[in-house]
Amino acid sequence: MLKLIWIIISLILIGLIFVRTPQNQGIGSFSTKNNLLGSPSSAEQFLNNLTILLIISYFGFALILNFSN
């Protein structure tokens, strides 16, 4: 059961990483970006928090599965 949860988390993480577009599109975006030091939108902040939570849980399950064998 833990291994299935670990696999699902890894697939969700892979999907999130591929779906997310990069913030900057090269050096030219620095001149056009007006909120360089501002906070991200609420949706982007939610995706950042979700990604961090999934990464932490992924490593947690990896440690649990590694030490259970």
Side-chain angles (χ1 to χ4, degrees), residues 21-36:
T21 58
Q23 291 296 325
N24 52 5
Q25 306 296 328
I27 296 176
S29 70
F30 285 113
S31 61
T32 60
K33 191 165 184 165
N34 54 2
N35 60 353
L36 183 63

Side-chain angles (χ1 to χ4, degrees), residues 2-4 9 21 26-27 33 38 41 45 47 50-51 56:
L2 289 176
K3 200 169 214 175
L4 180 64
I9 289 174
T21 58
I27 296 176
K33 191 165 184 165
S41 67
Q45 185 66 36
L47 286 176
L50 180 64
T51 305
I56 291 171

Side-chain angles (χ1 to χ4, degrees), residues 47-67:
L47 286 176
N48 288 340
N49 291 338
L50 180 64
T51 305
I52 290 169
L53 179 70
L54 288 175
I55 289 172
I56 291 171
S57 60
Y58 175 83
F59 283 122
F61 277 108
L63 287 173
I64 290 170
L65 289 172
N66 187 31
F67 289 124

